[in-house]
Amino acid sequence: MDGEYRVERVKSGIPGLDELVNGGFPKNTTILVTGSTGTGKTTFGAQFIYKGAAEYGEPGVFVTLEERAQDLRRETKTFGWDFRKYEEEGLIAIIDGVSSTVGLPSEEKFVLEDRLNVENFLRYIYRVVKAINARRLVIDSVPSIAFRLREEAQIREVLLKLNTILLEMGVTSILTTEAPDPKAGKISRYGIEEYISRGLILLDFRERDVELKRYLLIRKMRETKHSMRKYPFEITNNGIVVYPSGEMY
Ligand SMILES: Nc1ncnc2c1ncn2[C@@H]1O[C@H](COP(=O)(O)OP(=O)(O)OP(=O)(O)O)[C@@H](O)[C@H]1O
Ligand SMILES: [Mg+2]
């Protein structure tokens, strides 16, 4: 098949990235962003949602399961992003999935009260997505949904259910997860996230002299011709920037 068959694309909002994936993520897909701690997963997801609203007018939902909504807003302010503004305009909804778990009161509009019950969790996200007519969704992170589920089979079932619901909602989603040991080929926490996602992006560091350099690798992107090169990226004062013609040493 030649290039005539066209897939609708969703802009990532990350400078330099779209040109590596034929103009954007395939619409309505689930992309897994994996990496060890501090590699930029939360920033990646936040940028996808923020730029989606600010630059493309596309409503987005950010489900935060690792830090409180207020912490996310504060941290992303350092990139010059004003989440509040777009929340007030109804273009962004942040679902706070942390406060109730740690027993703190929350003044958030969207609060996940019962994280223990996965059915409720999925139903609530569905409701918020419909409420703002979201085109984009981020869940940060998958391990924090699954961390109470001890049995592998149960985790598998939840992730499959999540995937079905994401497809049905008609959103383009980013799920973040941990990469326990990318160099040994272990790129997701449960090893099953990568099968339910149609795209997989690895964020990592590489040592150069005495400095760690960030790089990004597109491991999989269905319906997309992409290279398997490692591309340098930086977290700048304006967020993530990828350098498509940059060299990895
Ligand atoms: N304003 C900024 N300018 C430059 N770099 C920044 C800025 N803010 C954060 N960073 C970098 O981003 C890193 C954090 O990225 P982020 O929180 O997205 O990573 P993560 O993969 O989600 O980590 P975790 O495993 O802790 O969830 C920081 O360690 C820092 O190096
Ligand atoms: Mg994070």
Side-chain angles (χ1 to χ4, degrees):
M1 201 160 60
D2 62 12
E4 287 305 302
Y5 166 66
R6 286 183 66 91
V7 177
E8 265 191 88
R9 301 278 161 182
V10 174
K11 301 283 183 202
S12 66
I14 294 172
L17 182 58
D18 292 343
E19 63 187 88
L20 301 179
V21 290
N22 302 359
F25 301 137
K27 195 177 169 185
N28 232 336
T29 54
T30 303
I31 313 288
L32 194 68
V33 173
T34 183
S36 55
T37 187
T39 49
K41 304 177 297 293
T42 300
T43 309
F44 192 108
Q47 190 162 344
F48 177 67
I49 294 299
Y50 185 79
K51 298 289 177 176
E55 289 179 8
Y56 306 109
E58 293 183 11
V61 172
F62 192 103
V63 185
T64 176
L65 301 171
E66 293 194 342
E67 56 191 339
R68 290 180 302 166
Q70 63 199 73
D71 297 328
L72 179 76
R73 282 187 203 101
R74 200 196 54 244
E75 283 162 18
T76 53
K77 260 211 181 100
T78 64
F79 302 122
W81 306 341
D82 183 2
F83 268 80
R84 271 270 185 241
K85 174 169 184 271
Y86 294 98
E87 291 179 71
E88 278 159 16
E89 289 177 16
L91 275 172
I92 292 180
I94 302 179
I95 301 182
D96 181 347
V98 173
S99 296
S100 70
T101 318
V102 297
L104 284 171
S106 176
E107 281 160 21
E108 294 296 325
K109 186 170 173 195
F110 302 108
V111 182
L112 212 53
E113 293 292 353
D114 180 10
R115 251 168 90 173
L116 291 175
N117 183 321
V118 175
E119 300 286 333
N120 287 350
F121 169 86
L122 297 176
R123 207 171 295 135
Y124 188 71
I125 293 174
Y126 188 91
R127 209 170 341 131
V128 178
V129 163
K130 291 295 165 201
I132 70 160
N133 194 21
R135 315 303 315 150
R136 299 170 179 234
L137 174 74
V138 169
I139 300 181
D140 185 33
S141 65
V142 171
S144 36
I145 307 173
F147 82 112
R148 287 166 202 274
L149 309 171
R150 230 161 265 137
E151 313 225 338
E152 182 97 356
Q154 214 182 349
I155 294 171
R156 186 180 292 265
E157 189 193 319
V158 165
L159 292 179
L160 287 174
K161 209 176 272 174
L162 171 68
N163 191 45
T164 311
I165 289 176
L166 292 178
L167 291 176
E168 196 189 308
M169 283 193 284
V171 288
T172 306
S173 325
I174 287 177
L175 309 181
T176 65
T177 190
E178 291 161 24
D181 190 359
K183 275 149 199 110
K186 203 156 167 24
I187 46 183
S188 66
R189 174 73 176 269
Y190 303 102
I192 39 183
E193 299 102 305
E194 59 225 62
Y195 298 106
I196 65 163
S197 72
R198 303 177 75 205
L200 174 61
I201 295 177
L202 172 72
L203 308 181
D204 205 354
F205 303 103
R206 172 184 275 204
E207 204 169 333
R208 159 114 176 103
D209 299 331
V210 290
E211 215 184 331
L212 288 178
K213 292 286 192 189
R214 298 180 190 278
Y215 72 84
L216 166 155
L217 173 68
I218 300 155
R219 281 283 299 259
K220 168 168 94 175
M221 192 69 63
R222 298 223 183 118
E223 303 165 289
T224 305
K225 185 173 185 300
H226 63 89
S227 102
M228 292 289 261
R229 261 192 60 195
K230 292 174 176 175
Y231 293 97
F233 76 93
E234 281 176 352
I235 303 183
T236 72
N237 281 335
N238 304 307
I240 295 179
V241 178
V242 181
Y243 302 104
S245 52
E247 290 297 321
M248 277 306 301
Y249 300 98

